[in-house]
Amino acid sequence: MPPVGAKALRGHIAFRPESEEAIEEARRASVDLGHDRVGTEHALLGLIRTEDSPAARILRSLGFTPDELRATVEAEVAERSAAGDLH
């Protein structure tokens, strides 16, 4: 049977605008921190930077702010790097 509905372009993943913004903010967070990759820590920062996203609202409702979260991520990355846990 043929597929139902319009088929997405090969290799294309459709994201909601908030998701696209969070991905871009994660990339920016990585650059801001001087990293050459995007990891989960950058994704977390990207989510809280996307102010209108449900994820950012949840993080803020839990008491996180973008600045405090960034400071926590920076401290954790520095600690792991000093311990040799980052590869």
Side-chain angles (χ1 to χ4, degrees), residues 26-45:
R27 186 197 64 76
R28 287 184 184 146
S30 175
V31 169
D32 290 348
L33 293 170
H35 299 158
D36 60 356
R37 59 172 182 72
V38 176
T40 54
E41 65 275 23
H42 308 110
L44 182 61
L45 293 172

PDB file of all heavy atoms in Angstrom, residues 26-45:
ATOM      1  N   ALA A  26      21.674  25.583  21.225  1.00  0.00           N
ATOM      2  CA  ALA A  26      22.641  24.607  21.720  1.00  0.00           C
ATOM      3  C   ALA A  26      23.970  24.774  20.990  1.00  0.00           C
ATOM      4  O   ALA A  26      25.045  24.727  21.606  1.00  0.00           O
ATOM      5  CB  ALA A  26      22.108  23.188  21.541  1.00  0.00           C
ATOM      6  N   ARG A  27      23.900  24.996  19.684  1.00  0.00           N
ATOM      7  CA  ARG A  27      25.120  25.226  18.908  1.00  0.00           C
ATOM      8  C   ARG A  27      25.823  26.497  19.388  1.00  0.00           C
ATOM      9  O   ARG A  27      27.035  26.521  19.591  1.00  0.00           O
ATOM     10  CB  ARG A  27      24.800  25.342  17.420  1.00  0.00           C
ATOM     11  CG  ARG A  27      26.046  25.430  16.533  1.00  0.00           C
ATOM     12  CD  ARG A  27      25.741  25.942  15.153  1.00  0.00           C
ATOM     13  NE  ARG A  27      25.250  27.312  15.146  1.00  0.00           N
ATOM     14  CZ  ARG A  27      26.016  28.401  15.314  1.00  0.00           C
ATOM     15  NH1 ARG A  27      27.303  28.285  15.533  1.00  0.00           N
ATOM     16  NH2 ARG A  27      25.490  29.606  15.284  1.00  0.00           N
ATOM     17  N   ARG A  28      25.034  27.548  19.629  1.00  0.00           N
ATOM     18  CA  ARG A  28      25.612  28.806  20.123  1.00  0.00           C
ATOM     19  C   ARG A  28      26.225  28.625  21.504  1.00  0.00           C
ATOM     20  O   ARG A  28      27.282  29.195  21.797  1.00  0.00           O
ATOM     21  CB  ARG A  28      24.544  29.895  20.173  1.00  0.00           C
ATOM     22  CG  ARG A  28      24.161  30.411  18.820  1.00  0.00           C
ATOM     23  CD  ARG A  28      23.169  31.543  18.927  1.00  0.00           C
ATOM     24  NE  ARG A  28      22.752  31.948  17.599  1.00  0.00           N
ATOM     25  CZ  ARG A  28      21.545  32.385  17.298  1.00  0.00           C
ATOM     26  NH1 ARG A  28      20.623  32.500  18.238  1.00  0.00           N
ATOM     27  NH2 ARG A  28      21.248  32.727  16.067  1.00  0.00           N
ATOM     28  N   ALA A  29      25.564  27.858  22.372  1.00  0.00           N
ATOM     29  CA  ALA A  29      26.093  27.604  23.718  1.00  0.00           C
ATOM     30  C   ALA A  29      27.451  26.912  23.623  1.00  0.00           C
ATOM     31  O   ALA A  29      28.372  27.242  24.368  1.00  0.00           O
ATOM     32  CB  ALA A  29      25.109  26.767  24.535  1.00  0.00           C
ATOM     33  N   SER A  30      27.571  25.972  22.710  1.00  0.00           N
ATOM     34  CA  SER A  30      28.836  25.275  22.509  1.00  0.00           C
ATOM     35  C   SER A  30      29.926  26.250  22.088  1.00  0.00           C
ATOM     36  O   SER A  30      31.033  26.237  22.635  1.00  0.00           O
ATOM     37  CB  SER A  30      28.668  24.176  21.457  1.00  0.00           C
ATOM     38  OG  SER A  30      29.905  23.570  21.178  1.00  0.00           O
ATOM     39  N   VAL A  31      29.610  27.106  21.138  1.00  0.00           N
ATOM     40  CA  VAL A  31      30.568  28.109  20.661  1.00  0.00           C
ATOM     41  C   VAL A  31      30.924  29.070  21.792  1.00  0.00           C
ATOM     42  O   VAL A  31      32.091  29.384  22.015  1.00  0.00           O
ATOM     43  CB  VAL A  31      30.003  28.873  19.442  1.00  0.00           C
ATOM     44  CG1 VAL A  31      30.853  30.081  19.095  1.00  0.00           C
ATOM     45  CG2 VAL A  31      29.882  27.939  18.243  1.00  0.00           C
ATOM     46  N   ASP A  32      29.898  29.526  22.544  1.00  0.00           N
ATOM     47  CA  ASP A  32      30.133  30.461  23.651  1.00  0.00           C
ATOM     48  C   ASP A  32      31.085  29.883  24.694  1.00  0.00           C
ATOM     49  O   ASP A  32      31.861  30.608  25.312  1.00  0.00           O
ATOM     50  CB  ASP A  32      28.817  30.821  24.356  1.00  0.00           C
ATOM     51  CG  ASP A  32      27.902  31.683  23.502  1.00  0.00           C
ATOM     52  OD1 ASP A  32      28.345  32.193  22.457  1.00  0.00           O
ATOM     53  OD2 ASP A  32      26.717  31.826  23.894  1.00  0.00           O
ATOM     54  N   LEU A  33      31.011  28.572  24.893  1.00  0.00           N
ATOM     55  CA  LEU A  33      31.863  27.915  25.881  1.00  0.00           C
ATOM     56  C   LEU A  33      33.207  27.473  25.300  1.00  0.00           C
ATOM     57  O   LEU A  33      34.030  26.894  25.994  1.00  0.00           O
ATOM     58  CB  LEU A  33      31.134  26.710  26.487  1.00  0.00           C
ATOM     59  CG  LEU A  33      29.920  27.058  27.354  1.00  0.00           C
ATOM     60  CD1 LEU A  33      29.130  25.806  27.705  1.00  0.00           C
ATOM     61  CD2 LEU A  33      30.348  27.802  28.609  1.00  0.00           C
ATOM     62  N   GLY A  34      33.415  27.743  24.003  1.00  0.00           N
ATOM     63  CA  GLY A  34      34.681  27.406  23.365  1.00  0.00           C
ATOM     64  C   GLY A  34      34.837  25.931  23.052  1.00  0.00           C
ATOM     65  O   GLY A  34      35.955  25.443  22.921  1.00  0.00           O
ATOM     66  N   HIS A  35      33.718  25.228  22.914  1.00  0.00           N
ATOM     67  CA  HIS A  35      33.769  23.796  22.628  1.00  0.00           C
ATOM     68  C   HIS A  35      33.643  23.546  21.128  1.00  0.00           C
ATOM     69  O   HIS A  35      33.061  24.354  20.411  1.00  0.00           O
ATOM     70  CB  HIS A  35      32.663  23.061  23.386  1.00  0.00           C
ATOM     71  CG  HIS A  35      32.786  23.204  24.871  1.00  0.00           C
ATOM     72  ND1 HIS A  35      31.729  23.034  25.717  1.00  0.00           N
ATOM     73  CD2 HIS A  35      33.853  23.503  25.657  1.00  0.00           C
ATOM     74  CE1 HIS A  35      32.124  23.218  26.959  1.00  0.00           C
ATOM     75  NE2 HIS A  35      33.410  23.518  26.951  1.00  0.00           N
ATOM     76  N   ASP A  36      34.178  22.422  20.681  1.00  0.00           N
ATOM     77  CA  ASP A  36      34.137  22.101  19.256  1.00  0.00           C
ATOM     78  C   ASP A  36      33.118  21.019  18.932  1.00  0.00           C
ATOM     79  O   ASP A  36      33.167  20.407  17.878  1.00  0.00           O
ATOM     80  CB  ASP A  36      35.524  21.700  18.754  1.00  0.00           C
ATOM     81  CG  ASP A  36      36.068  20.470  19.473  1.00  0.00           C
ATOM     82  OD1 ASP A  36      35.410  19.975  20.408  1.00  0.00           O
ATOM     83  OD2 ASP A  36      37.158  20.010  19.093  1.00  0.00           O
ATOM     84  N   ARG A  37      32.225  20.776  19.860  1.00  0.00           N
ATOM     85  CA  ARG A  37      31.160  19.787  19.663  1.00  0.00           C
ATOM     86  C   ARG A  37      29.917  20.278  20.399  1.00  0.00           C
ATOM     87  O   ARG A  37      29.993  21.208  21.195  1.00  0.00           O
ATOM     88  CB  ARG A  37      31.565  18.437  20.240  1.00  0.00           C
ATOM     89  CG  ARG A  37      31.858  18.546  21.729  1.00  0.00           C
ATOM     90  CD  ARG A  37      32.081  17.234  22.419  1.00  0.00           C
ATOM     91  NE  ARG A  37      32.310  17.424  23.838  1.00  0.00           N
ATOM     92  CZ  ARG A  37      31.396  17.781  24.729  1.00  0.00           C
ATOM     93  NH1 ARG A  37      30.159  18.007  24.352  1.00  0.00           N
ATOM     94  NH2 ARG A  37      31.690  17.938  25.994  1.00  0.00           N
ATOM     95  N   VAL A  38      28.788  19.656  20.113  1.00  0.00           N
ATOM     96  CA  VAL A  38      27.547  19.962  20.830  1.00  0.00           C
ATOM     97  C   VAL A  38      27.168  18.718  21.619  1.00  0.00           C
ATOM     98  O   VAL A  38      26.962  17.652  21.047  1.00  0.00           O
ATOM     99  CB  VAL A  38      26.410  20.361  19.862  1.00  0.00           C
ATOM    100  CG1 VAL A  38      25.108  20.579  20.619  1.00  0.00           C
ATOM    101  CG2 VAL A  38      26.786  21.607  19.078  1.00  0.00           C
ATOM    102  N   GLY A  39      27.127  18.860  22.925  1.00  0.00           N
ATOM    103  CA  GLY A  39      26.790  17.748  23.804  1.00  0.00           C
ATOM    104  C   GLY A  39      25.499  18.008  24.560  1.00  0.00           C
ATOM    105  O   GLY A  39      24.831  19.028  24.350  1.00  0.00           O
ATOM    106  N   THR A  40      25.187  17.120  25.461  1.00  0.00           N
ATOM    107  CA  THR A  40      23.943  17.252  26.220  1.00  0.00           C
ATOM    108  C   THR A  40      23.927  18.510  27.071  1.00  0.00           C
ATOM    109  O   THR A  40      22.859  19.106  27.268  1.00  0.00           O
ATOM    110  CB  THR A  40      23.709  16.019  27.113  1.00  0.00           C
ATOM    111  OG1 THR A  40      24.859  15.813  27.929  1.00  0.00           O
ATOM    112  CG2 THR A  40      23.438  14.782  26.285  1.00  0.00           C
ATOM    113  N   GLU A  41      25.091  18.926  27.562  1.00  0.00           N
ATOM    114  CA  GLU A  41      25.131  20.146  28.357  1.00  0.00           C
ATOM    115  C   GLU A  41      24.741  21.361  27.525  1.00  0.00           C
ATOM    116  O   GLU A  41      24.064  22.270  27.996  1.00  0.00           O
ATOM    117  CB  GLU A  41      26.513  20.342  29.003  1.00  0.00           C
ATOM    118  CG  GLU A  41      27.659  20.572  28.038  1.00  0.00           C
ATOM    119  CD  GLU A  41      28.288  19.308  27.466  1.00  0.00           C
ATOM    120  OE1 GLU A  41      27.651  18.238  27.427  1.00  0.00           O
ATOM    121  OE2 GLU A  41      29.452  19.392  27.040  1.00  0.00           O
ATOM    122  N   HIS A  42      25.132  21.349  26.255  1.00  0.00           N
ATOM    123  CA  HIS A  42      24.779  22.456  25.364  1.00  0.00           C
ATOM    124  C   HIS A  42      23.291  22.389  25.010  1.00  0.00           C
ATOM    125  O   HIS A  42      22.636  23.420  24.882  1.00  0.00           O
ATOM    126  CB  HIS A  42      25.635  22.410  24.101  1.00  0.00           C
ATOM    127  CG  HIS A  42      27.088  22.337  24.402  1.00  0.00           C
ATOM    128  ND1 HIS A  42      27.819  21.199  24.165  1.00  0.00           N
ATOM    129  CD2 HIS A  42      27.943  23.231  24.965  1.00  0.00           C
ATOM    130  CE1 HIS A  42      29.081  21.413  24.535  1.00  0.00           C
ATOM    131  NE2 HIS A  42      29.177  22.632  25.031  1.00  0.00           N
ATOM    132  N   ALA A  43      22.780  21.175  24.843  1.00  0.00           N
ATOM    133  CA  ALA A  43      21.350  21.006  24.568  1.00  0.00           C
ATOM    134  C   ALA A  43      20.517  21.561  25.715  1.00  0.00           C
ATOM    135  O   ALA A  43      19.503  22.235  25.497  1.00  0.00           O
ATOM    136  CB  ALA A  43      21.021  19.538  24.319  1.00  0.00           C
ATOM    137  N   LEU A  44      20.940  21.302  26.944  1.00  0.00           N
ATOM    138  CA  LEU A  44      20.235  21.826  28.106  1.00  0.00           C
ATOM    139  C   LEU A  44      20.235  23.350  28.098  1.00  0.00           C
ATOM    140  O   LEU A  44      19.198  23.989  28.320  1.00  0.00           O
ATOM    141  CB  LEU A  44      20.887  21.299  29.390  1.00  0.00           C
ATOM    142  CG  LEU A  44      20.246  21.702  30.703  1.00  0.00           C
ATOM    143  CD1 LEU A  44      18.812  21.210  30.785  1.00  0.00           C
ATOM    144  CD2 LEU A  44      21.066  21.153  31.862  1.00  0.00           C
ATOM    145  N   LEU A  45      21.390  23.939  27.808  1.00  0.00           N
ATOM    146  CA  LEU A  45      21.468  25.395  27.724  1.00  0.00           C
ATOM    147  C   LEU A  45      20.622  25.927  26.568  1.00  0.00           C
ATOM    148  O   LEU A  45      19.980  26.972  26.689  1.00  0.00           O
ATOM    149  CB  LEU A  45      22.927  25.845  27.577  1.00  0.00           C
ATOM    150  CG  LEU A  45      23.803  25.587  28.797  1.00  0.00           C
ATOM    151  CD1 LEU A  45      25.270  25.879  28.469  1.00  0.00           C
ATOM    152  CD2 LEU A  45      23.337  26.390  29.984  1.00  0.00           C
TER     153      LEU A  45
END
